[in-house]
């Protein structure tokens, strides 16, 4: 295992310490890194809290700040955070208008956030994201995973919260954005959880995993390495077909790197994906390219497509100031 | 509570914690194959937290001790196993008598399993810890000996190998989940074996 | 070789096409990707042009836009661009106030930019960056390499150009920033040039290269993999010692990933480096953490320290809107 | 210009281009060891550009043909080798007579090498292409036979192996640059061998 770390046991706290120090102008840690919160709260605003296992940086802590999250709870690597983290975060950032939890659809995350909601005395609602089309949403699975589309939900709902939206309307908006969002991922390599010390799976030099999530789990199918165009063709087809009746609007195309994918390759994938969307007659209104929802040191990427209605487009463009996303201010 | 009860609780906790910590690597391996490779560390973290609090926990009556252990798991483990095992122990504590008969134990265990099913929106047959817990409860109810219960747990654990996961991360893999033992089934079986070991000593 | 590409021959053009499409709001390609230029020029402003081999993305094209570069010339992978690219770029973005070339100190870059300057009819000046302390600046080398510190020069000089600075003063400022900047890099893995198809060097699982540049070249020494703290200690010591008399001001600490380094590790390195600076009694005024000056798919990072005087601090904070850096607008 | 001259220029260009393109992989390997792994592709790109323009170039008198080839290298290669080989060919073209004698050639080659030194701020002894070009020029001046010049180039190329680089990317490696042949020395030697081959035929 080759990583820039001090010891397996301190990876998370060392990294969070660096993160909080590097962005001390906008955020601050709470309770021994139980959570990371926005430095300046906006009284009367619904508090947005997300969280999940670590190893997906900059998600979620890198999305804390003006126009997005009020707090993020980092769990252990690939392990959902615990209810006490969420309760502590809620207590710290709830200014009276209630708390909206944004939760990726993994049983661990959902159960822990559920327990926190049950224990909480304040008013709490949640949005569950489940944008991954690689997983069938059927009786025989736990349902689709929440992956990179979660960032889109957090951005748009975050902007609406900043504008003063109430808890119920934000929850509804979050569900609308989630419903308009689909993702799919491909991995070229596995990733290495520090505590395990070796890659999660072995994969040949000419193979890739189609339909991976963001936890180093194997994907749906192992296939021969294909060209960027072929990969984009399959992923965009899966995404577009999954929509059934297409929502209104042009789309946001979000090409997300998994942690070890150079910008050069991500932009190349953007080019391939954009051409595929065009073939399907879908127009791109906004673009985002970068490693935002990662899987430690995995090489590969995901494509996310969100149909933006007018309100969503406006909220996407609204000012945001977080460690990872910043514009308009 | 009696001095004996206190000692027994302590020995139970120590035995369960020891076996989990000892098998951290194996649990992680199993979870790497069809999950996300953290089950070993998760369980170890939980058990370490319980051990850190051992004096306080072991001093409590059995029901309170179980609830306290469950709370530690909920607050320290995270992931799927934290809420699930936490719920199991907390519900056990809620249902069990301070000095339980076998019937009491069977009843409480069954109730705790129901609580896990509710929390996990899951049931036996889906390649999870429930596929060990449910048959073990059955063997308990049917009057099986310590040895028979032990064997039922091992058989049930091995039987998860051929199942296709319908809950937990392994379900994302669909048919690729077949051929691997479920990590939660293994950790459940390990804990049950440890408990039987300790209770067997005293019997 | 595992890369998201279509073919070795089209990597560069495919990737540039995606890049220009994804950021079409702020930039546009020129002459069959001879250069990438700012969409809206500011008449009367000195034009800032940089360039260099590709494979360092987002440098330089990702730094084109308001408050930074007016154009960037992407060469082939790890190969300096050619004079005709630079001439075409200068012609496109010179609005009459002259052109400042920002050139990393590699013989290839310097010679090609020199030839372009000689061929150009306009008024052209250049700043050569050479921040890499791993290379001795002696008679027996070609002098220090320009590495991640180049971004700092481009940001600060870019802001001054936006404010209306003239060619001579911008050149002087660029040289001042370069003089206040030092970097050093470490690689955990090699990188793979697509045309070569295999890693540039073999390296053991427990080894690292100290003092690498950004072209996949081996570093100064191959040593056993060390902890993040130890690596930071050596790099910060090399940087601090190299300054001799320390410039005035607090510093910018810039932790730069080489392309395959996850954010988690970069922030962890930030933590280690910040603690080292503290030991040397140096205060951090600004921070930047991310993969900005990369070496294809190399794992590792560089540390850059710039002493910011008051003017430099103000210009660092000035608004910037490029693909890779954005704040204040 | 004469039909024969046109044919000779064409054959020279084709031979030089062919040997470089054929050795692309080797040049890249050499550059991977102590540089940045692009010398093969760089030279191939330049040669391909020259071949694309072959009809126009070969139709020119020798001096103009050389200048045109040099310009192609400057505009298509990039890196260090683009300006350096570009300068070499352009300066050769500037200095050479349309139908050069051996003396003319020696003079022009020496002048072109000087131009390379100025462009590269470099000299022989620094583990670069100059360590082949300079001894070859020397052999030419000393009246060496085609075979002797060929051998001088090979010997000079091999001699770069033990040198420590003081120019070019390899200089960043300091003592680690020792033990590898310089890629530019190899490409120079390849081109010289090709030229000798073609001129030898006609001789
Ligand atoms: N819904 C569920 N119901 C019952 N058990 C479950 C459920 N989801 C997961 N599990 C159990 O939890 C185990 C995984 O635990 P762990 O790896 O610690 O958490 P995570 O899956 O969040 O990484 C699985 O092997 C399975 O036995
Ligand atoms: N200053 C210089 N003078 C003479 N030759 C040089 C100089 N710098 C580099 N070279 C030659 O150029 C070769 C490298 O060319 P190439 O790999 O194409 O360019 P780059 O080094 O920019 O990647 C070296 O092997 C060396 O022979
Ligand atoms: Mg997990
Ligand atoms: Mg797990
Ligand atoms: Mg090069
Ligand atoms: Mg080279």
């Amino acid at each position: 295992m080759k990583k820039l770390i001090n010891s397996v046991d301190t990876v998370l706290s060392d990294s969070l310490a660096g993160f909080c120090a590097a962005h001390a102008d906008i955020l601050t840690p709470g309770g021994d890194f139980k959570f990371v919160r926005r430095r300046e709260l906006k009284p009367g605003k619904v508090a947005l809290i997300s969280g999940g296992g670590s190893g997906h940086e900059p998600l979620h802590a890198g999305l804390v700040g003006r126009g997005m999250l009020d707090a993020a709870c980092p769990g252990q690597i690939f392990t959902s955070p615990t209810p006490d983290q969420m309760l502590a975060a809620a207590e710290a950032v709830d200014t009276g208008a209630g708390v909206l939890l944004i939760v990726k659809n993994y049983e661990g995350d959902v159960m822990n956030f559920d327990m926190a909601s049950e224990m909480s005395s304040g008013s709490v609602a949640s949005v569950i994201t489940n944008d991954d089309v690689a997983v069938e949403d059927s009786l025989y699975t736990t349902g689709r995973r929440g992956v990179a589309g979660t960032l889109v939900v957090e951005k748009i709902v975050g902007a609406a919260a900043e504008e003063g939206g109430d808890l119920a309307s934000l929850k509804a908006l979050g569900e609308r954005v989630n419903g308009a969002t689909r993702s799919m991922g491909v991995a070229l390599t596995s990733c290495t959880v520090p505590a395990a010390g070796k890659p999660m799976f072995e994969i040949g030099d000419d193979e890739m995993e189609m339909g991976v999530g963001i936890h180093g789990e194997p994907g749906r199918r192992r296939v021969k390495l294909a060209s960027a165009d072929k990969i984009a063709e399959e992923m965009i087809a899966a995404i577009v077909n999954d929509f059934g009746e297409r929502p209104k609007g042009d789309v946001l195309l979000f090409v997300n790197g998994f942690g070890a994918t150079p910008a050069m390759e991500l932009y190349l994938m953007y080019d391939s994906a954009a051409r595929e969307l065009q073939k399907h007659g879908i127009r791109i209104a906004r673009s985002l390219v970068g490693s935002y929802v990662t899987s430690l040191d995995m090489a590969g990427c995901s494509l996310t497509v969100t149909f933006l209605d007018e309100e969503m487009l406006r909220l996407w463009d609204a000012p945001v100031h977080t460690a990872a996303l910043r514009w308009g201010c | 509570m009696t001095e004996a009860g206190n000692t027994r609780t302590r020995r139970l906790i120590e035995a369960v914690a020891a076996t989990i910590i000892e098998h951290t690597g194996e649990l992680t391996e199993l979870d790497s194959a069809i999950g996300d490779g953290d089950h070993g560390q998760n369980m170890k973290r939980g058990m370490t937290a319980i051990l850190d609090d051992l004096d306080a926990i072991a001093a409590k009556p059995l029901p309170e001790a179980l609830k306290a252990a469950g709370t530690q798991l909920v607050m320290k483990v995270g992931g799927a196993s934290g809420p699930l095992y936490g719920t199991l122990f907390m519900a056990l504590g809620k249902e069990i008598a301070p000095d339980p008969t076998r019937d009491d134990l069977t009843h409480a265990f069954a109730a705790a399993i129901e609580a896990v099913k509710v929390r996990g929106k899951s049931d036996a047959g889906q390649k999870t810890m429930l596929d060990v817990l449910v048959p073990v409860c059955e063997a308990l109810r049917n009057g099986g000996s310590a040895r028979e219960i032990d064997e039922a747990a091992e058989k049930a654990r091995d039987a998860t190998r051929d199942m296709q996961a319908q809950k937990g991360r392994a379900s994302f893999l669909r048919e690729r989940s077949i051929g691997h033992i479920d990590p939660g089934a293994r950790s459940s079986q390990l804990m049950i074996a440890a408990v039987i070991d300790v209770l067997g000593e005293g019997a």
Side-chain angles (χ1 to χ4, degrees), chain A, chain B:
Chain A
M1 173 176 62
K2 289 190 128 172
K3 290 184 190 289
L4 294 164
I5 61 175
N6 288 313
S7 81
V8 165
D9 295 333
T10 59
V11 175
L12 194 56
S13 51
D14 287 353
S15 179
L16 281 167
F19 175 76
C20 290
H23 301 289
D25 53 330
I26 57 169
L27 42 83
T28 175
D32 205 17
F33 299 122
K34 274 194 174 161
F35 58 89
V36 172
R37 56 162 276 199
R38 203 168 145 173
R39 185 173 276 285
E40 310 288 346
L41 299 178
K42 196 167 169 179
K45 184 182 98 64
V46 170
L48 254 59
I49 301 180
S50 190
S54 292
H56 308 305
E57 294 69 30
L59 188 82
H60 294 275
L63 303 174
V64 169
R66 176 175 164 201
M68 272 181 104
L69 301 177
D70 293 276
C73 301
Q76 295 295 314
I77 290 175
F78 289 174
T79 303
S80 138
T82 53
D84 59 324
Q85 294 183 261
M86 299 155 188
L87 290 169
E91 187 166 339
V93 300
D94 185 358
T95 62
V99 174
L100 184 67
L101 304 174
I102 299 182
V103 184
K104 301 193 294 303
N105 189 35
Y106 293 95
E107 281 156 307
D109 294 69
V110 172
M111 287 190 282
N112 283 285
F113 274 104
D114 276 356
M115 292 191 98
S117 302
E118 291 161 19
M119 295 177 204
S120 164
S121 53
S123 85
V124 179
S126 57
V127 173
I128 313 264
T129 62
N130 66 345
D131 49 313
D132 188 354
V133 302
V135 176
E136 258 166 316
D137 205 1
S138 86
L139 270 180
Y140 305 105
T141 68
T142 61
R144 282 177 168 157
R145 297 175 285 217
V147 287
T150 310
L151 175 146
V152 185
V153 174
E154 293 177 1
K155 170 66 187 85
I156 291 176
V157 176
E162 206 75 34
E163 287 185 356
D166 66 21
L167 191 54
S169 72
L170 294 177
K171 177 177 161 70
L173 175 64
E175 284 164 356
R176 198 166 100 229
V177 178
N178 180 61
T181 300
R182 298 288 188 282
S183 301
M184 186 160 162
V186 62
L188 303 190
T189 69
S190 177
C191 60
T192 300
V193 175
K198 58 186 175 70
M200 300 252 313
F201 55 82
E202 295 297 325
I203 181 162
D205 255 4
D206 58 344
E207 294 177 326
M208 61 183 185
E209 286 276 339
M210 282 300 282
V212 292
I214 53 172
H215 295 88
E217 62 270 62
R220 283 279 301 279
R221 298 185 297 126
R222 177 164 299 190
V223 293
K224 287 278 163 224
L225 197 60
S227 70
D229 281 350
K230 280 264 168 278
I231 295 171
E233 183 182 354
E234 177 173 344
M235 299 210 290
I236 292 292
I239 287 170
V240 170
N241 291 339
D242 195 273
F243 271 112
E245 206 193 327
R246 280 184 209 164
K248 282 216 190 71
D250 296 338
V251 304
L252 163 71
L253 172 57
F254 170 21
V255 178
N256 174 60
F258 280 148
T261 315
M264 178 180 258
E265 294 177 42
L266 294 181
Y267 281 113
L268 197 149
M269 278 302 296
Y270 177 92
D271 180 55
S272 301
R275 280 186 278 108
E276 286 303 319
L277 284 175
Q278 198 174 14
K279 283 190 206 157
H280 288 278
I282 294 172
R283 288 205 322 214
I284 299 173
R286 293 293 180 273
S287 303
L288 183 68
V289 180
S291 294
Y292 293 102
V293 181
T294 62
S295 190
L296 291 170
D297 53 355
M298 182 179 266
C301 73
S302 61
L303 303 181
T304 296
V305 172
T306 301
F307 281 88
L308 297 168
D309 62 28
E310 255 176 65
E311 185 190 13
M312 283 156 59
L313 186 66
R314 183 177 61 75
L315 292 167
W316 176 261
D317 287 341
V320 59
H321 182 174
T322 68
L325 279 193
R326 183 168 180 187
W327 57 72
C329 61
Chain B
M1 92 172 297
T2 63
E3 194 54 39
N6 182 327
T7 311
R8 191 188 51 195
T9 306
R10 176 180 291 271
R11 282 188 15 245
L12 278 170
I13 291 174
E14 284 175 338
V16 165
T19 191
I20 289 295
I21 292 170
E22 189 184 322
H23 292 84
T24 303
E26 184 194 332
L27 294 173
T28 289
E29 291 269 325
L30 291 173
D31 198 32
S32 296
I34 55 171
D36 58 351
D38 61 354
H39 190 55
Q41 292 298 323
N42 289 349
M43 296 302 291
K44 181 181 174 185
R45 192 167 53 251
M47 291 301 154
T48 307
I50 290 175
L51 287 180
D52 285 348
D53 211 17
L54 183 57
D55 290 342
I57 296 178
K60 293 180 201 287
L62 184 61
E64 305 315 315
L66 285 166
K67 280 187 230 164
T71 304
Q72 284 292 357
L73 294 180
V74 168
M75 294 311 188
K76 293 288 157 48
V77 176
S81 51
L84 291 169
Y85 280 127
T87 298
L88 184 77
F89 282 86
M90 291 197 303
L92 256 181
K94 233 173 93 189
E95 301 285 340
I96 212 159
D99 216 338
T101 64
R102 179 165 181 145
D103 267 7
D104 289 343
L105 182 63
T106 308
H107 157 80
F109 196 45
I113 289 173
E114 286 313 305
V116 170
K117 289 182 185 173
V118 170
R119 177 60 64 204
K121 301 195 179 71
S122 50
D123 210 334
Q126 297 176 325
K127 193 175 181 127
T128 70
M129 56 175 71
L130 287 169
D131 289 307
V132 164
L133 299 177
V134 168
V136 163
C137 188
E138 212 49 38
L140 197 61
R141 179 176 293 126
N142 295 341
S145 67
R147 169 110 178 252
E148 280 164 350
I149 297 174
D150 215 11
E151 285 172 2
E154 289 182 7
K155 220 180 105 205
R157 173 202 65 198
D158 291 344
T160 64
R161 188 193 300 272
D162 294 337
M163 299 171 82
Q164 176 168 333
Q166 291 172 21
K167 288 284 164 181
R169 293 174 181 286
S171 71
F172 301 142
L173 302 187
R174 299 197 308 177
E175 59 285 351
R176 287 175 85 180
S177 65
I178 297 171
H180 304 270
I181 286 177
D182 175 62
R186 174 62 167 146
S187 55
S188 287
Q189 179 266 320
L190 282 170
M191 290 194 271
I192 285 157
V195 168
I196 290 174
D197 227 37
V198 171
L199 297 186
E201 284 169 34

